[in-house]
Amino acid sequence: MNCFEAKQRRYIVQAGVTRDLGNYLRGLEFDVHTRLNADSYAASLTKNSNTALLPTVFGWSAVALDPHSAMNSAYQFLSAQRAISFLDPYGMHCEWGDTMHVTLHRAKSGCAITKADFLENKQRPTSPGNKRPQRVTRARTISNYAADIARNFDGASTERLLSSIRTAALARTSFNPENRLISLWSAIEVLLSEPRDDARIVHYARLVVPCIVMRHTRRQVIAVYNELLPRYRSRLNTLTRSMETESHGHEAFAELVFLPDNQQHQAQLCTLLAENPLALHRVFKLQRDYKNVKAVNATIDDHADRVRWQIHRVYRARNQLVHAGRMPTYLESIILNLAEYYRSAVATIVGRAKREEEASDIDQIVSEIGIRYGILCNHFRKSKADSPLTLGDVAKLMGRI
């Protein structure tokens, strides 16, 4: 066997469950017993906030690659039993703890594993020398986002967009990956128009891919720029202000990295980042992706192909769940990609509608985004491959024109 090949092992997972659920599982001949505070799992199970409601311990045996996978299989089994309980008109008190105790088979000690929410909100970045997250007025930001939706679309489009967002929000109310995938894909279908002549996946991919990839360059630049700000803010601002440009912030940073006329400033940036190899590599990769027209075409096409492939992959996984009842092993990674794609698509649609003077129709906005993406691609395909970027090219890539 290859030394890098993962080896599966047998694990024993112990989870605190309610008395009703424990009696039900005992009737199915599973390992269920009353919780004892002296046992090895006691410290793990008492970490649950609802531990007082869980007097029974359910034992689950699983063959898995690691303790987290074993814990996840126990969680999915309990979720399935809770779903079965919904078939009864009276149901039962079906609850368990998110923290479980996982032990290797025949081992004397184990560890506590908590079910992680892989769609949870990211933590705010911290300032250098300060352990507290940076203060961001999220309520104001979110209210502005809601106002953009309410003010820039007609009545029918506003209702449809909000319905799509509500459907996507269902993915955050369930730990079951099946529900999350189905909810997120349903939100995509609500957001876009119904197919007429094309196959469903061909239609949806053709509409949503431009909405996702349209701002790819902008997001790349902002990601690298934001990584540099906490440590190099003042020196980076001094460097961009010394350039002959009217741009500021990440847009000036894009001109600094992309334009060959700024070679002197690029050398100063390399000197600034000389003691930070990771930051230097990220800036190098960003410049390599946009060093000339040929590189721009390759970057745009490669990203669009990857996104299109992922959308088709999501649709296949969704069909396996809905029509065949099969759950792929790679489901959580698909959900993460789809959640990010959905946020990107909605942000692009709302941002485009803000530029219109009148209330927008969502189908028309999506069509315009597709047309503008086609114009952007044609602009660079018609240029000579070895041509360096111009200021107008950077403005197009950053979505300013």
Side-chain angles (χ1 to χ4, degrees), residues 4 17 60 64 106 123 130 170 187 251 283 288 298 309:
F4 295 104
V17 299
W60 172 259
R106 295 181 180 176
Q123 293 184 350
N130 186 2
L170 293 175
E251 294 184 349
V283 173
R288 182 190 64 188
W309 177 79

Side-chain angles (χ1 to χ4, degrees), residues 18 26-27 60 65-66 73 91-92 112 130 156 197 222 229 233 240 261 279 291 317 326 338 340 351 353:
T18 57
R26 188 182 291 112
W60 172 259
L65 296 173
D66 54 65
S73 68
M92 63 180 176
N130 186 2
D197 300 325
I222 291 175
L229 280 185
R233 182 184 299 271
T240 55
D261 295 340
K291 64 180 179 180
R326 294 197 303 268
L338 185 56
E340 184 60 34

Side-chain angles (χ1 to χ4, degrees), residues 369-380:
I369 292 171
I371 293 171
R372 292 183 66 84
Y373 177 70
I375 293 173
L376 175 68
C377 294
N378 289 333
H379 169 77
F380 288 102

Side-chain angles (χ1 to χ4, degrees), residues 15 24 28 75 82 100 106 132 139 184 215 256 274 279 295 309 329 333 336 371:
Y24 162 75
L28 297 177
Y75 199 101
R82 179 171 57 188
M100 301 181 187
R106 295 181 180 176
R132 293 185 178 181
L184 286 170
R215 303 200 306 171
L256 165 64
W309 177 79
T329 57
S333 62
L336 283 172
I371 293 171

